[in-house]
Amino acid sequence: MENVELRPMSLGELLDHTFSLYRNHFWVFVGIMAIPSCFAIPMNFFLFSKQGSPLVIGTPRAQAAVFSLSYLIFATIFALVYAIASGAATHAVADAYLGRAPSVRGSYERVRGRFWRLIGLVSNVGLRVLAIFLGVVLVAAFGGGLAGAAMAGAGRTADQTTMVLIVGLIVVVAVLAGAALAIFIGLRYAVAIPALLFENIGALAAIRRSVRLTKGRRGHIFLAVLMTSIIGYVGVVIFRGPFWLAAALTARTGHWTDWLNFAAAASAAVGASLTGPLLMIILVLCYYDARIRKEAFDLQFMMASMDNPPSAPAPGATSPA
């Protein structure tokens, strides 16, 4: 075990520490995220094949592909594997941060006993965020429809352009408000996975624990997550960029072959493997930063290390109540 310096970190220090851990344990993190990325290849290949091109989005053909049974099966399997990989990456970050040597196999093995709780947590959080977003949008759409009906009933049918603009504006504002509220809810649950894995608690307890730990730190977490997410998206774009260009050049002729679909799916998977770990690293560091600030985790860790020098305590070990 290496010497570990635990202390509160500013946003710049969080980002610097994130890239330092990523660089020092590059192959471990990429190896962990390569597994769900491999499952994403057949999912994206199926989607691109049905759409005809990665650029075909929003058309009836593309929508039919997204809601087909085959795609939903691929997406479900990918979501399950990605949830497991997120747990493994969380353990790897904790090991690296607390001075141990992480490994791909060891990180996945430590998730095995908490598989169902992890799946339950990810599903619970995902459904909550999605329900909030869709609820706001549907309520606004219903309100916009009522406003349009009221205007029509008042005999203002001649001003159809104004009515369409008003209803459209209501829906746009609702989508933005729903997205903002979903992001806020997501920030409340940002450190639920580390809490579940490190503190050996259930899914609902982990959600409540995350809400307490992130209180007063959500703006900080938002900026950290935003910056790492932008970097991750840029990485995917860099790898998929040549195939998007090829899709644009061949869009007029419609000759988009299956090997290009496969290459586009594989390149996106490579980009996700390389940049995907950054988000999990920053979230785990935010978890420890919150515990250091609110619960003096640094002192707990130091005392536990002094009591048991040969082996370090569990990543999320807490002192007895």
Side-chain angles (χ1 to χ4, degrees):
M1 176 177 164
E2 303 171 358
N3 292 328
V4 181
E5 182 183 3
L6 302 180
R7 58 183 176 81
M9 291 181 284
S10 65
L11 177 60
E13 291 172 327
L14 271 174
L15 293 171
D16 180 69
H17 217 67
T18 295
F19 291 113
S20 177
L21 291 177
Y22 177 72
R23 182 178 62 253
N24 293 336
H25 304 279
F26 175 81
W27 290 112
V28 173
F29 291 126
V30 172
I32 290 173
M33 299 310 298
I35 295 176
S37 296
C38 289
F39 282 86
I41 293 176
M43 179 182 70
N44 288 329
F45 174 70
F46 174 83
L47 182 64
F48 296 159
S49 298
K50 292 297 182 180
Q51 290 179 174
S53 165
L55 293 181
V56 180
I57 301 174
T59 64
R61 185 178 180 183
Q63 293 171 356
V66 171
F67 292 103
S68 66
L69 178 60
S70 298
Y71 181 76
L72 293 177
I73 292 174
F74 280 125
T76 301
I77 295 173
F78 169 75
L80 292 174
V81 177
Y82 187 84
I84 299 170
S86 298
T90 299
H91 275 297
V93 176
D95 284 339
Y97 181 59
L98 299 180
R100 304 183 189 86
S103 67
V104 176
R105 180 177 179 179
S107 298
Y108 271 103
E109 286 180 347
R110 294 166 69 181
V111 178
R112 183 171 52 188
R114 298 180 177 90
F115 171 78
W116 291 113
R117 274 187 287 175
L118 180 60
I119 296 301
L121 172 63
V122 173
S123 302
N124 194 315
V125 171
L127 290 175
R128 290 187 185 204
V129 174
L130 182 62
I132 290 293
F133 175 74
L134 292 180
V136 172
V137 173
L138 290 176
V139 168
F142 181 72
L146 290 179
M151 293 177 65
R156 300 179 59 183
T157 55
D159 197 5
Q160 292 182 357
T161 301
T162 302
M163 184 174 65
V164 170
L165 289 176
I166 291 176
V167 173
L169 180 62
I170 292 175
V171 173
V172 170
V173 171
V175 170
L176 294 177
L181 186 57
I183 291 173
F184 174 75
I185 296 298
L187 290 173
R188 285 164 54 91
Y189 305 153
V191 298
I193 291 180
L196 181 141
L197 294 176
F198 300 157
E199 301 179 27
N200 196 26
I201 55 181
L204 295 179
I207 290 174
R208 292 191 294 268
R209 177 83 168 132
S210 177
V211 172
R212 289 194 295 270
L213 287 175
T214 58
K215 186 176 182 180
R217 304 293 300 166
R218 289 164 194 156
H220 196 78
I221 295 173
F222 171 75
L223 292 176
V225 170
L226 177 63
M227 297 188 73
T228 53
S229 298
I230 291 174
I231 293 172
Y233 182 76
V234 169
V236 174
V237 169
I238 290 174
F239 279 89
R240 285 186 58 177
F243 301 99
W244 281 340
L245 178 60
L249 294 175
T250 59
R252 295 181 178 179
T253 61
H255 297 299
W256 182 262
T257 61
D258 281 341
W259 77 265
L260 282 174
N261 284 325
F262 180 81
S267 63
V270 172
S273 298
L274 293 175
T275 60
L278 292 173
L279 178 60
M280 293 310 305
I281 295 174
I282 201 77
L283 290 178
V284 175
L285 293 184
C286 286
Y287 165 81
Y288 281 120
D289 183 65
R291 289 197 60 188
I292 290 171
R293 293 174 182 273
K294 297 185 176 185
E295 301 173 351
F297 174 77
D298 49 341
L299 298 179
Q300 296 179 33
F301 183 84
M302 181 182 66
M303 293 175 63
S305 300
M306 293 174 62
D307 292 339
N308 189 17
S311 60
T318 56
S319 58

